[in-house]
Amino acid sequence: MNTANKMTLLRVVLIPVFLILLYLNFSGHKLAALGVFILASLTDLADGYVARTYGQVTDFGKFMDPLADKVLVCAAMAWFVEAGQMAAWMLLVVLAREFAVSGLRMLAAPRGVVIAAAWSGKVKTASTMVCVCLMLLPIPGWLNALCLAVILVTTVWSGAEYFIRNRAVFSGGI
């Protein structure tokens, strides 16, 4: 097991720790949950850098890294829904985009086409993680609404870009 994959696994292990801290429902625990979320988010940056820089790219990492990211972010959003801080339909939009892009990649793979992460997907991930961090703080309602709007807009924008750029997958042109 290489260093990049160990960082990805650390992120997976931090997800239940993050949720447990949120569900303890004390202000100190919420700040601790924020710290865990930030640490987990930083492992996402670090594992990708280490994998590319030191030649540690593996099939396990290609599979588990994006899965860990999605589970971490969706866990936070599910908690926001339960806490009344986010509408359930917004979480559904995020989940639908993730399933749709994953499905697009599955359609392209048998044809030997790899659909790499687009710039818009990276912007979506980074802005979502920043917004989740803000939403874990005691922020005013207008800032929470702005964070939700940023998450929603970047999610729809990046999902649309994946499908527009890769429409040939559906027409058989690839």
Side-chain angles (χ1 to χ4, degrees):
M1 172 103 9
N2 66 36
T3 303
N5 288 342
K6 287 177 183 174
M7 285 190 267
T8 299
L9 285 178
L10 174 60
R11 188 162 60 260
V12 170
V13 168
L14 289 174
I15 295 167
V17 174
F18 167 68
L19 286 172
I20 288 167
L21 289 169
L22 282 176
Y23 279 101
L24 288 176
N25 205 20
F26 299 111
S27 61
H29 289 100
K30 196 169 181 185
L31 288 176
L34 171 61
V36 170
F37 186 88
I38 290 170
L39 176 61
S41 297
L42 291 175
T43 67
D44 180 33
L45 290 173
D47 68 10
Y49 173 79
V50 168
R52 288 184 300 278
T53 304
Y54 298 102
Q56 296 184 6
V57 175
T58 64
D59 287 340
F60 174 81
K62 288 178 194 176
F63 169 75
M64 189 55 73
D65 178 63
L67 180 62
D69 296 342
K70 289 168 182 47
V71 173
L72 174 65
V73 169
C74 287
M77 290 183 185
W79 187 83
F80 292 143
V81 168
E82 190 170 338
Q85 203 170 338
M86 179 181 208
W89 68 266
M90 291 180 176
L91 175 56
L92 182 60
V93 169
V94 170
L95 289 170
R97 181 254 185 226
E98 298 303 339
F99 282 120
V101 170
S102 295
L104 179 66
R105 287 186 168 127
M106 286 190 295
L107 284 174
R111 299 175 183 156
V113 176
V114 175
I115 298 176
W119 177 251
S120 63
K122 293 179 186 297
V123 169
K124 176 209 54 104
T125 299
S127 61
T128 297
M129 288 185 169
V130 168
C131 286
V132 167
C133 289
L134 288 172
M135 291 170 66
L136 288 167
L137 295 170
I139 59 174
W142 68 266
L143 185 53
N144 189 78
L146 178 62
C147 286
L148 293 174
V150 167
I151 291 169
L152 196 59
V153 167
T154 58
T155 296
V156 172
W157 165 52
S158 67
E161 183 184 35
Y162 275 101
F163 280 87
I164 291 167
R165 284 187 174 201
N166 298 287
R167 62 187 170 275
V169 169
F170 295 105
S171 65
I174 292 181

